């Protein structure tokens, strides 16, 4: 089963690479493979064995980009020159992206919430499910 | 894939077959151990430690990066492709969250992803970084396997992209709860999504350890941000002719 599951992943990876190369789709092969696999799973539910194979693979995802990171060794001069812009962009960029994502999501939720409340007052159509608000401030 | 020089019958120690595969796994395991010893704090990051140890080893032994890759490093890198494809699985498992709150999630991911790119590029250029460095920083919030591909595509440096993605993962994971708390964000769904968008896999792992629903949203944020950024960033860069 392990081999079968790995072959499935490799088949989607290959399909992605072929689409990337032959059709010149401007997305990387693995990413196209990911989208194709996602679409395939919508048509056919993945079995537990397939899910189980991907789990350790994803759990060790961090290890897999160590070799690429070691490639920094070829750019020591660049890092010496540009350590300040890199550090500031990384830290300040992270703060900005955290807050903008959170505030945007919360804002749209609140707009939907008030719109949903009005709709519920008007008619009780089954569409309400779509605009069902997520309880804000939910904590466990 | 396993690139060992077949001509050398008596290879020097640094050319032992798969030496660098063993070294990579050992360095990572050392990082995991050190992280546990330090109480699992995000600053002591296994990937960062492994990278530092291996770079030091290469510099001390006078081994160049090509020799590292052919001596086993590429074996680890080769698994990245199938692992990226496998990212579809957590995305699939969390699709029901997306169906329920599609608009807030998609809007949040798009706004956050664009902020990550523009703030990084803007700050880097403003502080005197080169266009190449700025382009490489543009992909830093995307999970590393995809960051490498997109950086390559838009004219950044693929190897640095992975390193920057790791650095961003560390920064976003360390800052996440502290920053979101001050921003008045209490919902784990929102916290999760924001952390997944900003700090990809590392942030997702951290949120997952605190709250399961939050972890699902983080995983969704990471996956969607990778997908969206990979779609719009190359197009924007092409339009701006950077």
């Amino acid at each position: 089963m392990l081999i079968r599951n790995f072959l499935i992943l490799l088949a989607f990876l290959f399909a992605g690479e072929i689409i990337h190369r032959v059709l010149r789709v401007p997305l990387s092969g693995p990413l196209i493979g990911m989208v194709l696999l996602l679409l395939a799973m919508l048509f056919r539910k993945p079995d537990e064995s397939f899910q189980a194979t991907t789990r350790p693979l994803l759990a060790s995802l961090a290890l897999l980009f160590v070799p690429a990171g070691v490639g920094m060794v070829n750019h020591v001069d660049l890092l010496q020159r540009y350590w300040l812009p890199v550090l500031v962009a990384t830290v300040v960029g992270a703060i900005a992206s955290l807050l903008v994502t959170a505030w945007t999501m919360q804002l749209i939720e609140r707009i939907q919430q008030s719109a949903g409340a009005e709709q519920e007052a008007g008619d009780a159509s089954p569409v309400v499910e779509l605009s069902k608000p997520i309880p804000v401030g939910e904590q466990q | 894939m396993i690139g060992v020089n077949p001509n050398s019958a008596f290879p020097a120690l640094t050319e032992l077959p798969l030496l660098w595969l063993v070294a990579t796994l050992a360095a990572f395991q050392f990082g995991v151990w050190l992280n546990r010893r330090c109480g699992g704090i995000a600053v002591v990051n296994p990937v960062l430690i492994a990278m530092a140890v291996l770079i030091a080893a290469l510099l001390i032994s006078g081994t160049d990066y090509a020799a590292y890759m052919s001596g086993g490093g590429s074996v680890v890198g080769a698994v990245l492709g199938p692992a990226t494809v496998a990212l579809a699985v957590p995305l699939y498992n969390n699709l029901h969250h997306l169906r329920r709150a599609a608009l807030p999630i998609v809007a949040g991911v798009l706004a956050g992803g664009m902020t990550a790119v523009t703030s990084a590029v803007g700050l880097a250029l403003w502080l005197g970084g080169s266009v190449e460095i700025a382009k490489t920083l543009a992909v830093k919030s995307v999970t590393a396997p995809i960051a490498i591909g997109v950086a390559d595509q838009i004219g950044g440096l693929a190897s640095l992209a992975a390193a920057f993605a790791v650095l961003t993962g560390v920064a976003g994971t360390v800052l996440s709860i502290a920053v979101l708390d001050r921003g008045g964000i209490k919902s784990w769904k929102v916290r999760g999504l924001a952390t997944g968008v900003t700090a990809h896999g590392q942030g997702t792992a951290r949120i997952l350890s605190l709250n399961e629903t939050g972890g699902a949203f983080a995983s969704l944020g990471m996956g969607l941000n990778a997908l969206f950024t990979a779609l719009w960033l190359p197009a924007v860069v092409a339009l701006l002719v950077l």
Side-chain angles (χ1 to χ4, degrees):
Chain A
M1 277 313 232
L2 177 73
I3 303 294
R4 184 207 70 166
N5 297 334
F6 222 80
L7 270 174
I8 294 175
L9 288 176
L10 287 174
F12 279 99
L13 177 65
F14 264 58
E17 290 288 0
I18 289 167
I19 291 175
H20 172 67
R21 272 154 218 236
V22 177
L23 301 179
R24 293 181 181 263
V25 175
L27 288 174
S28 74
L31 190 74
I32 300 171
M34 181 186 108
V35 175
L36 291 176
L37 177 59
L38 184 64
L39 292 175
M41 287 190 295
L42 291 176
F43 287 103
R44 198 179 155 208
K45 206 171 172 287
D47 55 25
E48 176 45 37
S49 138
F50 182 70
Q51 294 237 6
T53 303
T54 62
R55 244 170 258 136
L57 201 58
L58 293 173
S60 50
L61 198 58
L63 162 73
L64 305 183
F65 46 82
V66 169
V70 174
M72 262 203 311
V73 80
N74 284 344
H75 303 291
V76 174
D77 50 326
L78 274 178
L79 289 171
Q80 269 170 349
R81 240 173 91 196
Y82 297 123
W83 65 271
L84 184 68
V86 168
L87 198 67
V88 173
T90 306
V91 173
V92 179
I95 295 173
S97 131
L98 278 167
L99 290 175
V100 170
T101 311
W103 284 337
T104 308
M105 182 177 173
Q106 220 162 41
L107 180 75
I108 307 285
E109 271 178 353
R110 288 200 178 131
I111 293 171
Q112 282 193 336
Q113 218 163 356
S114 51
E118 273 167 37
Q119 200 178 0
E120 260 175 284
D123 62 353
S125 76
V127 191
V128 175
E129 171 66 23
L130 271 175
S131 53
K132 206 173 183 178
I134 288 174
V136 175
E138 179 199 271
Q139 218 160 356
Q140 288 175 15
Chain B
M1 199 164 68
I2 305 168
V4 177
N5 184 358
N7 300 324
S8 52
F10 302 99
L13 276 180
T14 50
E15 285 168 16
L16 272 176
L18 298 185
L19 168 78
W20 293 108
L21 170 62
V22 178
T24 305
L25 295 177
F28 186 77
Q29 207 51 47
F30 169 68
V32 171
W33 174 82
L34 203 64
N35 176 271
R36 285 212 187 112
R37 283 298 301 253
C38 298
I41 52 169
V43 195
V44 187
N45 180 280
V47 179
L48 218 53
I49 293 163
M51 275 163 51
V53 168
L54 290 166
I55 287 174
L58 290 182
L59 292 175
I60 290 166
S61 68
T63 311
D64 63 17
Y65 183 59
Y68 164 80
M69 286 306 270
S70 66
S74 64
V75 179
V76 178
V79 190
L80 208 51
T84 306
V85 175
L87 279 172
V89 173
L91 207 52
Y92 170 83
N93 288 338
N94 291 303
L95 271 184
H96 61 282
H97 292 299
L98 185 64
R99 289 206 186 100
R100 276 224 303 272
L103 196 60
I105 289 173
V106 170
V109 172
L110 274 176
M114 286 177 180
T115 304
V117 172
T118 47
S119 63
V121 172
L123 285 166
L125 290 176
W126 180 56
L127 290 167
S130 67
V131 172
E132 203 175 35
I133 285 284
K135 277 183 180 177
T136 309
L137 280 165
V139 295
K140 71 184 175 51
S141 268
V142 179
T143 184
I146 291 166
I148 295 167
V150 179
D152 204 27
Q153 203 181 325
I154 65 171
L157 302 158
S159 52
L160 271 189
F164 290 170
V166 174
L167 288 177
T168 304
V170 176
T173 307
V174 175
L175 294 165
S176 159
I177 299 295
V179 167
L180 292 172
D181 260 348
R182 281 187 183 79
I185 309 296
K186 300 285 177 220
S187 154
W188 277 107
K189 293 176 178 176
V190 182
R191 282 174 169 179
L193 193 83
T195 309
V197 167
T198 306
H200 46 83
Q202 293 166 57
T204 302
R206 170 88 182 133
I207 295 293
L208 195 60
S209 72
L210 300 171
N211 180 284
E212 207 185 312
T213 312
F217 273 75
S219 159
L220 202 54
M222 166 177 84
L224 288 176
N225 188 38
L227 190 59
F228 291 165
T229 307
L231 286 169
W232 68 264
L233 188 57
V236 169
V237 170
L239 277 176
L240 296 174
V241 205
L242 276 173

